[in-house]
Amino acid sequence: MDAARPVLAFRNVAKVYGEGDAEVRALDGVDFEIYPGEFVAVMGASGSGKSTTLNILGCLDVPSSGTYDFMGVPVETLDRKQRALLRQNYLGFVFQGFNLLKRTTALENVELPLIYRGTPARERRALAEEALRLVGLGDRMDHTSSELSGGQQQRVAIARAIVTSPAVMLADEPTGNLDSQRSHEIMRLFRDLNAKRGITIIVVTHEEDIAAYCRRHIRFKDGRIASDDVRTPAEAAS
Ligand SMILES: Nc1ncnc2c1ncn2[C@@H]1O[C@H](COP(=O)(O)OP(=O)(O)O)[C@@H](O)[C@H]1O
Ligand SMILES: [Mg+2]
């Protein structure tokens, strides 16, 4: 990917839900660019527009006005099927609730996105095993989700998100259901994946100590960007 060009860009994005008296302006005039290899925290109080932003970034929704460019393509010009292909090929998702299939093994959960892509069985298996080893679950591949702890389930979800080698990984409150120690383990894993594999990672969180792992902090307030700061490595280490 061309590091000199943004991988994602919002240009004057607004998102309005409902109409008339019920109208909610979830986003209002939002502009930012994210470059390949960035590690970004999207922050802000509840209701400030974080999930709305992530849903648009993930091509699950489109702006009411303004433009969302993904790798130079205005997403609102794509139809549903094209957006689904874009998600399948370039994006990885991690959610607060893990969203794994319960009575299914870690390996099968991680193979799932490759089945949708039509990857042959043998290659699928090898890629899923590699992803699980990368998140530290090489010895838990045959365990079902219900046999794994919350932290381990989130690792499976991260393996599932990276198995397709996405350009961008999007995580909405990924530590929201985890205790403090497990939360920090997950953030260290994200940091390693960002540093060693160059995956662009965007993490939504309202917790300062979780955001502290990220180089850049975009803070929302009432559907607008209140601040957008890149910290120096020295600041990030403290
Ligand atoms: N599907 C929806 N329909 C109506 N209003 C919504 C919908 N989704 C979000 N909102 C509203 O948009 C605003 C921003 O929500 P959201 O992006 O979920 O905030 P955050 O993730 O920061 O808590 C809130 O006022 C919320 O109630
Ligand atoms: Mg939210």
Side-chain angles (χ1 to χ4, degrees), residues 86-143:
L86 199 152
R87 277 200 299 278
Q88 229 176 72
N89 288 301
Y90 298 104
L91 292 165
F93 293 89
V94 176
F95 303 95
Q96 178 171 357
F98 319 138
N99 297 19
L100 301 175
L101 301 175
K102 286 275 173 291
R103 283 180 292 277
T104 305
T105 67
L107 194 60
E108 289 163 340
N109 268 288
V110 177
E111 281 188 49
L112 209 57
L114 299 174
I115 291 176
Y116 292 136
R117 277 188 165 193
T119 308
R122 189 187 293 266
E123 190 186 341
R124 213 159 66 208
R125 171 63 58 103
L127 287 169
E129 286 178 355
E130 189 199 341
L132 280 163
R133 277 195 289 270
L134 201 67
V135 301
L137 288 177
D139 56 348
R140 294 284 191 284
M141 299 199 200
D142 297 323
H143 290 239

Side-chain angles (χ1 to χ4, degrees), residues 86-209:
L86 199 152
R87 277 200 299 278
Q88 229 176 72
N89 288 301
Y90 298 104
L91 292 165
F93 293 89
V94 176
F95 303 95
Q96 178 171 357
F98 319 138
N99 297 19
L100 301 175
L101 301 175
K102 286 275 173 291
R103 283 180 292 277
T104 305
T105 67
L107 194 60
E108 289 163 340
N109 268 288
V110 177
E111 281 188 49
L112 209 57
L114 299 174
I115 291 176
Y116 292 136
R117 277 188 165 193
T119 308
R122 189 187 293 266
E123 190 186 341
R124 213 159 66 208
R125 171 63 58 103
L127 287 169
E129 286 178 355
E130 189 199 341
L132 280 163
R133 277 195 289 270
L134 201 67
V135 301
L137 288 177
D139 56 348
R140 294 284 191 284
M141 299 199 200
D142 297 323
H143 290 239
T144 63
S145 306
S146 45
E147 294 168 341
L148 297 170
S149 71
Q152 288 170 336
Q153 288 184 54
Q154 194 59 301
R155 284 172 185 274
V156 175
I158 292 169
R160 182 184 56 187
I162 60 174
V163 75
T164 54
S165 299
V168 178
M169 189 149 86
L170 301 171
D172 197 354
E173 307 267 1
T175 64
N177 283 355
L178 301 175
D179 64 37
S180 171
Q181 189 186 337
R182 244 49 70 182
S183 296
H184 286 279
E185 283 171 16
I186 291 298
M187 290 311 293
R188 281 197 290 271
L189 177 57
F190 279 136
R191 191 173 58 191
D192 285 352
L193 291 171
N194 171 255
K196 294 184 186 144
R197 304 206 120 199
I199 304 174
T200 306
I201 302 181
I202 302 168
V203 178
V204 167
T205 182
H206 58 267
E207 296 175 84
E208 297 289 341
D209 61 332

Side-chain angles (χ1 to χ4, degrees), residues 34 40-44 49-51 53-54 57 202-206 216-220:
I34 293 176
V40 182
V42 171
M43 307 191 65
K50 304 184 297 295
S51 292
T53 297
L54 210 71
L57 287 175
I202 302 168
V203 178
V204 167
T205 182
H206 58 267
R216 176 174 171 192
H217 294 174
I218 301 177
R219 212 173 287 269
F220 280 81

Side-chain angles (χ1 to χ4, degrees), residues 15 17-18 22 24-27 43-53 55 61 172-173 204 220:
K15 181 72 189 180
Y17 294 111
V24 177
R25 240 170 213 281
L27 296 177
M43 307 191 65
S46 178
S48 60
K50 304 184 297 295
S51 292
T52 301
T53 297
N55 288 341
D61 206 348
D172 197 354
E173 307 267 1
V204 167
F220 280 81

